Amino acid sequence: MGIDITGYIERLTPYGGNDGDTPSWDSVIALSELYLGRDYDAFGCLFGVANHARFRPVAAERGLPADTSSAVRAIYDRDRGYGAASAFSATWVGWPELRDIDWEEPAEGVDARVTEYVRTETGLRPLGKAAWSRAVADSLGTGFGGSYADRLPREETEWTHGDMVFRTVLMRRRDAIPAGSEWQPVWDVMRALAQVHGDDGVRLVVWFHR
C-alpha cells in the first residue's frame, strides 16, 4: 500500500476573523487541483515522509497549524476519523521557505534504495530502485527476504553481479524535485498569491495517508 498526500494552500486575509478585523487563514485551493503525483523523493525532501533518500526535510512533523482555516481542519478531522493511516505526519510550510530552498543541497546520506541497471548490447538500461530487491539481496549474499541495509555502502559506489549493475546514489534536492516538475503548478500558485497577500501570508498545509 502506497502513501499519498492531501493538502491545501492557505492565504492570510486581514479581514477574516469573527470580529471582521482580525487576520485569519482561509483555504484557497486543494493540492489535488495542482498536484496529482505520488513521489516519495519529493515527500521526503519537503516533509520527511518516505524519506528513503535521507534528505534534511524542509518542514517535517510540525502538526496542523493551530490557526488553520475551519474548512481545512474539518477535512483533516474527517480523515483522522477513518483511522491513524488516513491522516498522519501533518505539517505545514510557508512560501518563503519553499521559495528559498537550496536546490543544490545534498541529502545527508546515500539513498537507501539501490538503483539497478541491466547490461544490454546498447549499454546500461535502468530498472529503477526500491527499498528491497531480490537482485540486490543476491548480489550481497543475504538471500530472499533478508535485510541488507547494514551491508550497503555508505558512500556513492557501484558494483556488479552477473549482467546487473547496482549503484548507491547521493541525491540533491533538484534530483527529487526538478525544475518544471509536477510541483511547478503549486509553486506558481503560491508565488502569485504571495504577490497579493505577502510572502508570509501564503502557506501549504499537508498530511499523508495510506
Side-chain angles (χ1 to χ4, degrees), residues 118-166:
V118 61
R119 294 188 186 278
T120 69
E121 294 181 353
T122 58
L124 294 180
R125 177 167 61 87
L127 300 178
K129 58 186 179 181
W132 190 89
S133 161
R134 176 62 183 270
V136 175
D138 287 345
S139 77
L140 296 174
T142 59
F144 180 73
S147 173
Y148 51 70
D150 59 347
R151 299 196 185 188
L152 289 177
R154 301 303 178 186
E155 301 176 345
E156 286 192 303
T157 191
E158 176 180 303
W159 71 97
T160 62
H161 184 72
D163 61 353
M164 298 288 294
V165 176
F166 306 97

Side-chain angles (χ1 to χ4, degrees), residues 15-85:
Y15 306 114
N18 293 329
D19 59 8
D21 294 319
T22 304
S24 68
W25 289 91
D26 288 342
S27 173
V28 176
I29 188 170
L31 181 63
S32 60
E33 298 291 338
L34 304 169
Y35 173 80
L36 298 175
R38 179 196 274 179
D39 190 329
Y40 293 167
D41 287 336
F43 293 172
C45 173
L46 296 174
F47 308 115
V49 172
N51 193 12
H52 305 294
R54 298 173 176 161
F55 285 107
R56 178 184 61 81
V58 175
E61 299 290 350
R62 292 177 172 176
L64 203 70
D67 57 355
T68 194
S69 62
S70 58
V72 171
R73 181 169 295 280
I75 296 170
Y76 175 70
D77 288 344
R78 180 204 65 189
D79 286 356
R80 288 184 65 193
Y82 295 140

